[in-house]
Each structure stands twice: as structure tokens, then as C-alpha cells.
Amino acid sequence: MRIGVIGVQGDVSEHVDSVAKAIRDSGKTGEAIAVRRRADLGRIDALTIPGGESTTISKLLVKLDLFDEIVRRAMDEAMPIMGTCAGCILLSKDAGTQAEKTKTKLLGLMDMAVDRNAFGRQRESFEADLDIEGLDSPFHCVFIRAPAILRTWGDCKVLARYQERIVLARQKNLIGSAFHPELSGDLRIHRWFLDLV
Ligand code: GLN
């Protein structure tokens, strides 16, 4: 299998490393590659969209002619995509007034509304051990200026909450995470993702 990591901005190398390690750990053969050109999208079986700055990533996806092809492959071919933090914002259908003001174009693939920078300045970054549906012990979650998922509808299922807010959701081939599973050294969420391929 070949797993792409959108490589235009954000914590790209952490994602490439953790995806490569998850492939090895799960006994599968394959590689993780950074995706920067449209041709790269034709070579991959699944995609992760890292954290970073969602407005910037969105603009670069459009500029580099990646945006429409990501949407097409997700919808027509059910290509698995995992979006973390900024990537989760881009997967959503609604990212509120901040996204509207900055004219951030969303991929709009998951039935969920998110709130950017939902945890405020005083706790821009924090960590928490959270119960996640389908995992038998808590997962150490790293939040960095994280969004919260405000609500889900349709086929989008809630998998974890922090206090009252949704922080992990799945809709068929798509996973949206407000935290950074690539930063905790725990690859259980990555392995789920690889199992979708
Ligand atoms: N706050 C960022 C945004 O709104 C996301 C932060 C992150 O990806 N670590 O795009």
C-alpha cells in the first residue's frame, strides 16, 4: 500500500514517520509519501491531511490543483482519508464564521460542523487521556490550538469526546481528529486507518 500525506504545510514529517511506522508495525508492506503534486494523488491508496493552518493548507490545495481530485477520489472511489486538526477542519462541511471570513474552501466530505481554535488561548495546547470507542484503553491525545467538532449528522459517528466536546469522528472511509494521533507515539488510530485501505 502507498499512503499519501499532504505535504504543503504543517507537521508533515511527523505524519510520514508515523504512517510508515504503522505500516511496518501492522506487518503490511508499503510506504508513506508526501503529496505535493497532482500526479502524486494518482499513486496513493489513502491520504492523511496533517495539522497546520487550515486556511493556508486549503489555499495551497487549490493552487497546486489537488483540491478537486481529493474530493473526487474520496467520493467516487471511497479513498480513505484521515484529517487531523487543520485536516479535520478541512474535512468538515461547516467550519463557522472564521472559515467564512477567511474564505477557506472546505473539502466538505464529512457530515460535521467544527469550531476552529475551540479551546481558546489559555489552553491552546494541552494533553488528555481519553476513552475512544473501539479501543480497550485510553488514548493519550495531544491538542494544539485544536478545533472541536460541534455536531455530527448523517453517517458521521462520534468516537471520542473531551468534556462535552466531540474530538474524534468517523464517516465510512473518513476519520476526523481534533487532536494529533501522530504525536503520541500510540499508533492504534493509524492502524484503524490502514485497515480501511
Ligand atoms: N488552529 C489551526 C486552524 O485553525 C489548526 C491547528 C492545528 O492543526 N494544530 O487551522
Side-chain angles (χ1 to χ4, degrees):
M1 59 171 68
R2 192 178 284 125
I3 312 296
V5 175
I6 290 293
V8 298
Q9 197 255 350
D11 68 331
V12 179
S13 61
E14 290 85 348
H15 269 275
V16 170
D17 292 349
S18 56
V19 169
K21 186 157 192 302
I23 293 172
R24 282 198 304 277
D25 284 7
S26 59
K28 302 183 200 279
T29 48
E31 59 176 343
I33 62 163
V35 170
R36 298 194 181 90
R37 296 173 310 131
R38 184 159 172 135
D40 299 330
L41 282 176
R43 302 164 55 216
I44 58 170
D45 306 300
L47 181 69
T48 68
I49 308 176
E53 216 286 315
S54 51
T55 304
T56 306
I57 296 175
S58 169
K59 291 207 168 98
L60 289 169
L61 291 181
V62 173
K63 190 169 168 211
L64 298 169
D65 197 24
L66 298 169
F67 193 100
D68 293 340
E69 184 62 6
I70 294 171
V71 173
R72 191 196 67 76
R73 287 214 54 197
M75 295 193 37
D76 296 355
E77 299 171 16
M79 177 173 72
I81 304 180
M82 177 164 74
T84 72
C85 205
C88 178
I89 295 168
L90 294 176
L91 286 174
S92 75
K93 290 202 165 142
D94 176 354
T97 50
Q98 285 189 59
E100 277 164 28
K101 271 192 229 143
T102 53
K103 297 199 173 66
T104 304
K105 207 173 153 194
L106 303 171
L107 294 165
L109 293 166
M110 290 181 73
D111 293 336
M112 60 188 190
V114 304
D115 182 18
R116 287 180 66 181
N117 303 315
F119 296 96
R121 216 169 237 292
Q122 76 282 9
R123 43 194 327 178
E124 273 185 351
S125 302
F126 62 97
E127 303 185 9
D129 290 323
L130 302 181
D131 289 326
I132 291 181
E133 194 165 324
L135 297 184
D136 50 17
S137 61
F139 192 95
H140 188 71
C141 302
V142 179
F143 293 83
I144 303 170
R145 287 191 304 117
I149 300 167
L150 296 177
R151 61 190 180 92
T152 66
W153 60 93
D155 291 325
C156 189
K157 302 277 174 279
V158 174
L159 298 180
R161 289 176 199 267
Y162 172 69
Q163 296 170 346
E164 292 305 300
R165 294 187 255 200
I166 304 163
V167 293
L168 184 68
R170 165 153 179 220
Q171 181 169 345
K172 296 183 179 147
N173 52 314
L174 307 167
I175 298 173
S177 172
F179 56 88
H180 289 266
E182 75 284 5
L183 294 182
S184 56
D186 183 338
L187 293 168
R188 287 179 291 171
I189 294 177
H190 281 78
R191 280 202 288 271
W192 268 355
F193 172 61
L194 296 182
D195 285 342
L196 296 173
V197 178

Short mmCIF file of all heavy atoms in Angstrom, two decimals, residues 96-136:
data_model
loop_
_atom_site.label_atom_id
_atom_site.label_comp_id
_atom_site.label_asym_id
_atom_site.label_seq_id
_atom_site.Cartn_x
_atom_site.Cartn_y
_atom_site.Cartn_z
N GLY A 96 -17.79 27.31 10.42
CA GLY A 96 -18.22 28.52 11.10
C GLY A 96 -17.74 29.82 10.47
O GLY A 96 -17.22 29.85 9.35
N THR A 97 -17.91 30.89 11.23
CA THR A 97 -17.66 32.22 10.69
C THR A 97 -16.18 32.47 10.40
O THR A 97 -15.85 33.19 9.47
CB THR A 97 -18.15 33.32 11.66
OG1 THR A 97 -17.61 33.01 12.94
CG2 THR A 97 -19.66 33.36 11.74
N GLN A 98 -15.30 31.84 11.20
CA GLN A 98 -13.85 32.06 10.94
C GLN A 98 -13.48 31.58 9.54
O GLN A 98 -12.69 32.20 8.84
CB GLN A 98 -13.01 31.30 11.95
CG GLN A 98 -12.97 31.93 13.32
CD GLN A 98 -11.92 31.23 14.19
OE1 GLN A 98 -10.74 31.18 13.84
NE2 GLN A 98 -12.34 30.67 15.29
N ALA A 99 -14.05 30.46 9.13
CA ALA A 99 -13.75 29.93 7.80
C ALA A 99 -14.40 30.79 6.72
O ALA A 99 -13.81 31.03 5.67
CB ALA A 99 -14.23 28.48 7.69
N GLU A 100 -15.60 31.29 7.02
CA GLU A 100 -16.28 32.15 6.04
C GLU A 100 -15.50 33.44 5.84
O GLU A 100 -15.26 33.87 4.71
CB GLU A 100 -17.70 32.48 6.52
CG GLU A 100 -18.69 31.38 6.19
CD GLU A 100 -19.98 31.51 6.99
OE1 GLU A 100 -20.34 32.65 7.37
OE2 GLU A 100 -20.60 30.46 7.24
N LYS A 101 -15.09 34.05 6.96
CA LYS A 101 -14.36 35.32 6.87
C LYS A 101 -13.08 35.18 6.07
O LYS A 101 -12.70 36.07 5.32
CB LYS A 101 -14.02 35.84 8.27
CG LYS A 101 -15.10 36.70 8.86
CD LYS A 101 -14.58 37.41 10.11
CE LYS A 101 -15.57 37.24 11.24
NZ LYS A 101 -15.00 37.07 12.55
N THR A 102 -12.38 34.07 6.27
CA THR A 102 -11.11 33.87 5.57
C THR A 102 -11.31 33.18 4.22
O THR A 102 -10.35 32.84 3.55
CB THR A 102 -10.15 33.01 6.43
OG1 THR A 102 -10.84 31.81 6.79
CG2 THR A 102 -9.71 33.74 7.69
N LYS A 103 -12.58 32.98 3.85
CA LYS A 103 -12.92 32.32 2.58
C LYS A 103 -12.18 30.99 2.42
O LYS A 103 -11.65 30.66 1.36
CB LYS A 103 -12.60 33.23 1.39
CG LYS A 103 -13.42 34.51 1.36
CD LYS A 103 -13.40 35.11 -0.05
CE LYS A 103 -14.33 36.29 -0.20
NZ LYS A 103 -13.94 37.46 0.62
N THR A 104 -12.12 30.24 3.51
CA THR A 104 -11.46 28.94 3.47
C THR A 104 -12.38 27.93 2.79
O THR A 104 -13.49 27.67 3.26
CB THR A 104 -11.15 28.46 4.90
OG1 THR A 104 -10.36 29.46 5.54
CG2 THR A 104 -10.38 27.15 4.89
N LYS A 105 -11.91 27.38 1.68
CA LYS A 105 -12.70 26.38 0.95
C LYS A 105 -12.52 25.03 1.66
O LYS A 105 -11.40 24.57 1.86
CB LYS A 105 -12.15 26.31 -0.48
CG LYS A 105 -13.14 25.87 -1.50
CD LYS A 105 -12.57 26.01 -2.91
CE LYS A 105 -13.26 24.99 -3.79
NZ LYS A 105 -12.60 24.78 -5.06
N LEU A 106 -13.62 24.43 2.07
CA LEU A 106 -13.56 23.15 2.79
C LEU A 106 -13.75 22.00 1.81
O LEU A 106 -14.54 22.11 0.87
CB LEU A 106 -14.67 23.10 3.84
CG LEU A 106 -14.66 24.25 4.87
CD1 LEU A 106 -15.94 24.20 5.71
CD2 LEU A 106 -13.42 24.18 5.74
N LEU A 107 -13.08 20.89 2.08
CA LEU A 107 -13.31 19.69 1.26
C LEU A 107 -14.76 19.24 1.42
O LEU A 107 -15.35 18.69 0.49
CB LEU A 107 -12.34 18.58 1.66
CG LEU A 107 -10.86 18.87 1.37
CD1 LEU A 107 -9.98 17.88 2.13
CD2 LEU A 107 -10.55 18.83 -0.11
N GLY A 108 -15.33 19.45 2.62
CA GLY A 108 -16.76 19.21 2.83
C GLY A 108 -17.18 17.76 2.67
O GLY A 108 -18.25 17.46 2.16
N LEU A 109 -16.33 16.84 3.13
CA LEU A 109 -16.61 15.41 2.92
C LEU A 109 -17.32 14.76 4.10
O LEU A 109 -17.97 13.74 3.94
CB LEU A 109 -15.29 14.67 2.65
CG LEU A 109 -14.61 15.04 1.33
CD1 LEU A 109 -13.17 14.52 1.31
CD2 LEU A 109 -15.39 14.47 0.15
N MET A 110 -17.18 15.33 5.29
CA MET A 110 -17.77 14.70 6.47
C MET A 110 -18.94 15.51 7.02
O MET A 110 -18.89 16.74 7.06
CB MET A 110 -16.70 14.51 7.58
CG MET A 110 -15.67 13.45 7.23
SD MET A 110 -14.44 13.19 8.54
CE MET A 110 -15.39 12.30 9.78
N ASP A 111 -19.97 14.79 7.44
CA ASP A 111 -21.17 15.42 7.96
C ASP A 111 -20.91 15.91 9.38
O ASP A 111 -21.33 15.28 10.37
CB ASP A 111 -22.34 14.41 7.98
CG ASP A 111 -22.75 14.01 6.56
OD1 ASP A 111 -22.50 14.79 5.63
OD2 ASP A 111 -23.32 12.92 6.42
N MET A 112 -20.19 17.00 9.47
CA MET A 112 -19.91 17.55 10.80
C MET A 112 -19.62 19.04 10.69
O MET A 112 -19.18 19.53 9.65
CB MET A 112 -18.73 16.82 11.47
CG MET A 112 -17.43 16.90 10.71
SD MET A 112 -16.17 15.82 11.46
CE MET A 112 -14.71 16.38 10.54
N ALA A 113 -19.92 19.73 11.80
CA ALA A 113 -19.60 21.16 11.90
C ALA A 113 -18.50 21.29 12.96
O ALA A 113 -18.56 20.62 13.99
CB ALA A 113 -20.83 21.93 12.34
N VAL A 114 -17.50 22.11 12.67
CA VAL A 114 -16.40 22.27 13.62
C VAL A 114 -16.25 23.74 14.02
O VAL A 114 -16.73 24.64 13.33
CB VAL A 114 -15.04 21.77 13.03
CG1 VAL A 114 -15.13 20.34 12.57
CG2 VAL A 114 -14.57 22.66 11.90
N ASP A 115 -15.58 23.92 15.14
CA ASP A 115 -15.28 25.26 15.63
C ASP A 115 -13.76 25.37 15.70
O ASP A 115 -13.12 24.62 16.45
CB ASP A 115 -15.91 25.40 17.03
CG ASP A 115 -15.70 26.78 17.61
OD1 ASP A 115 -15.38 27.71 16.85
OD2 ASP A 115 -15.85 26.92 18.85
N ARG A 116 -13.19 26.25 14.90
CA ARG A 116 -11.72 26.39 14.89
C ARG A 116 -11.24 26.99 16.21
O ARG A 116 -11.91 27.81 16.81
CB ARG A 116 -11.29 27.32 13.76
CG ARG A 116 -11.42 26.69 12.40
CD ARG A 116 -10.99 27.67 11.32
NE ARG A 116 -9.57 27.98 11.38
CZ ARG A 116 -8.96 28.83 10.56
NH1 ARG A 116 -9.63 29.43 9.62
NH2 ARG A 116 -7.67 29.06 10.69
N ASN A 117 -10.06 26.59 16.64
CA ASN A 117 -9.45 27.13 17.86
C ASN A 117 -10.43 27.13 19.03
O ASN A 117 -10.53 28.10 19.79
CB ASN A 117 -8.95 28.57 17.61
CG ASN A 117 -7.97 28.62 16.44
OD1 ASN A 117 -7.07 27.80 16.34
ND2 ASN A 117 -8.18 29.56 15.53
N ALA A 118 -11.15 26.03 19.16
CA ALA A 118 -12.28 25.98 20.10
C ALA A 118 -11.87 26.01 21.55
O ALA A 118 -12.68 26.32 22.42
CB ALA A 118 -13.10 24.72 19.84
N PHE A 119 -10.61 25.66 21.84
CA PHE A 119 -10.23 25.53 23.25
C PHE A 119 -9.55 26.78 23.78
O PHE A 119 -9.07 26.79 24.91
CB PHE A 119 -9.38 24.27 23.44
CG PHE A 119 -10.17 23.02 23.13
CD1 PHE A 119 -10.08 22.42 21.89
CD2 PHE A 119 -11.03 22.48 24.08
CE1 PHE A 119 -10.84 21.29 21.59
CE2 PHE A 119 -11.79 21.35 23.79
CZ PHE A 119 -11.68 20.75 22.54
N GLY A 120 -9.52 27.81 22.94
CA GLY A 120 -9.12 29.13 23.45
C GLY A 120 -7.65 29.27 23.72
O GLY A 120 -6.90 28.32 23.75
N ARG A 121 -7.27 30.50 23.94
CA ARG A 121 -5.88 30.85 24.08
C ARG A 121 -5.23 30.26 25.34
O ARG A 121 -4.11 29.78 25.29
CB ARG A 121 -5.80 32.37 24.18
CG ARG A 121 -4.62 32.97 23.53
CD ARG A 121 -4.78 34.48 23.46
NE ARG A 121 -4.68 34.94 22.08
CZ ARG A 121 -3.58 34.90 21.37
NH1 ARG A 121 -2.48 34.41 21.86
NH2 ARG A 121 -3.56 35.36 20.14
N GLN A 122 -5.97 30.31 26.45
CA GLN A 122 -5.36 29.89 27.71
C GLN A 122 -4.96 28.41 27.70
O GLN A 122 -4.13 27.98 28.47
CB GLN A 122 -6.28 30.20 28.91
CG GLN A 122 -7.47 29.30 29.11
CD GLN A 122 -8.62 29.61 28.15
OE1 GLN A 122 -8.47 30.40 27.22
NE2 GLN A 122 -9.75 28.99 28.38
N ARG A 123 -5.55 27.65 26.83
CA ARG A 123 -5.16 26.25 26.77
C ARG A 123 -4.95 25.85 25.31
O ARG A 123 -5.40 24.81 24.87
CB ARG A 123 -6.16 25.36 27.46
CG ARG A 123 -7.61 25.68 27.18
CD ARG A 123 -8.52 25.00 28.15
NE ARG A 123 -8.01 23.70 28.58
CZ ARG A 123 -8.61 22.93 29.45
NH1 ARG A 123 -9.74 23.31 29.98
NH2 ARG A 123 -8.11 21.77 29.80
N GLU A 124 -4.25 26.71 24.61
CA GLU A 124 -4.02 26.47 23.19
C GLU A 124 -3.49 25.06 22.95
O GLU A 124 -3.79 24.43 21.97
CB GLU A 124 -3.04 27.49 22.62
CG GLU A 124 -3.75 28.73 22.16
CD GLU A 124 -2.86 29.73 21.49
OE1 GLU A 124 -1.63 29.56 21.51
OE2 GLU A 124 -3.40 30.69 20.93
N SER A 125 -2.64 24.59 23.89
CA SER A 125 -2.13 23.24 23.77
C SER A 125 -2.32 22.53 25.10
O SER A 125 -2.06 23.10 26.15
CB SER A 125 -0.65 23.27 23.42
OG SER A 125 -0.48 23.98 22.21
N PHE A 126 -2.80 21.32 25.05
CA PHE A 126 -2.96 20.52 26.26
C PHE A 126 -3.03 19.06 25.85
O PHE A 126 -3.15 18.74 24.67
CB PHE A 126 -4.20 20.94 27.06
CG PHE A 126 -5.50 20.77 26.30
CD1 PHE A 126 -6.28 19.63 26.48
CD2 PHE A 126 -5.92 21.72 25.39
CE1 PHE A 126 -7.47 19.46 25.78
CE2 PHE A 126 -7.11 21.56 24.68
CZ PHE A 126 -7.88 20.43 24.88
N GLU A 127 -2.93 18.19 26.86
CA GLU A 127 -2.96 16.76 26.58
C GLU A 127 -3.97 16.10 27.51
O GLU A 127 -4.18 16.58 28.62
CB GLU A 127 -1.56 16.16 26.78
CG GLU A 127 -0.54 16.87 25.90
CD GLU A 127 0.86 16.29 25.91
OE1 GLU A 127 1.04 15.20 26.49
OE2 GLU A 127 1.75 16.92 25.33
N ALA A 128 -4.58 15.05 27.05
CA ALA A 128 -5.58 14.36 27.88
C ALA A 128 -5.66 12.89 27.47
O ALA A 128 -5.54 12.58 26.29
CB ALA A 128 -6.94 15.03 27.72
N ASP A 129 -5.86 12.02 28.46
CA ASP A 129 -6.07 10.60 28.16
C ASP A 129 -7.57 10.37 28.00
O ASP A 129 -8.32 10.58 28.96
CB ASP A 129 -5.53 9.73 29.30
CG ASP A 129 -4.00 9.78 29.33
OD1 ASP A 129 -3.39 9.82 28.25
OD2 ASP A 129 -3.43 9.80 30.44
N LEU A 130 -7.98 9.98 26.82
CA LEU A 130 -9.42 9.89 26.54
C LEU A 130 -9.83 8.48 26.14
O LEU A 130 -9.07 7.77 25.47
CB LEU A 130 -9.79 10.85 25.41
CG LEU A 130 -9.46 12.33 25.62
CD1 LEU A 130 -9.92 13.14 24.42
CD2 LEU A 130 -10.10 12.86 26.90
N ASP A 131 -11.05 8.13 26.53
CA ASP A 131 -11.63 6.86 26.06
C ASP A 131 -12.09 7.04 24.63
O ASP A 131 -12.75 8.03 24.31
CB ASP A 131 -12.84 6.50 26.93
CG ASP A 131 -12.41 6.08 28.32
OD1 ASP A 131 -11.33 5.46 28.44
OD2 ASP A 131 -13.15 6.39 29.27
N ILE A 132 -11.75 6.08 23.80
CA ILE A 132 -12.14 6.14 22.40
C ILE A 132 -12.92 4.87 22.07
O ILE A 132 -12.49 3.77 22.42
CB ILE A 132 -10.89 6.28 21.52
CG1 ILE A 132 -10.30 7.66 21.75
CG2 ILE A 132 -11.22 6.05 20.05
CD1 ILE A 132 -9.07 7.98 20.96
N GLU A 133 -14.06 5.07 21.44
CA GLU A 133 -14.89 3.91 21.12
C GLU A 133 -14.09 2.94 20.25
O GLU A 133 -13.46 3.35 19.27
CB GLU A 133 -16.14 4.38 20.39
CG GLU A 133 -17.15 3.29 20.35
CD GLU A 133 -18.53 3.80 19.96
OE1 GLU A 133 -18.91 4.91 20.35
OE2 GLU A 133 -19.19 3.03 19.26
N GLY A 134 -14.08 1.68 20.64
CA GLY A 134 -13.37 0.68 19.85
C GLY A 134 -11.96 0.40 20.37
O GLY A 134 -11.34 -0.57 19.94
N LEU A 135 -11.44 1.21 21.27
CA LEU A 135 -10.12 0.94 21.87
C LEU A 135 -10.34 0.52 23.33
O LEU A 135 -11.17 1.11 24.03
CB LEU A 135 -9.23 2.18 21.83
CG LEU A 135 -8.86 2.71 20.45
CD1 LEU A 135 -7.89 3.90 20.58
CD2 LEU A 135 -8.25 1.64 19.56
N ASP A 136 -9.57 -0.47 23.78
CA ASP A 136 -9.86 -1.01 25.11
C ASP A 136 -9.13 -0.29 26.25
O ASP A 136 -9.34 -0.60 27.42
CB ASP A 136 -9.64 -2.53 25.17
CG ASP A 136 -8.29 -2.91 24.60
OD1 ASP A 136 -7.43 -1.99 24.48
OD2 ASP A 136 -8.09 -4.10 24.28
#
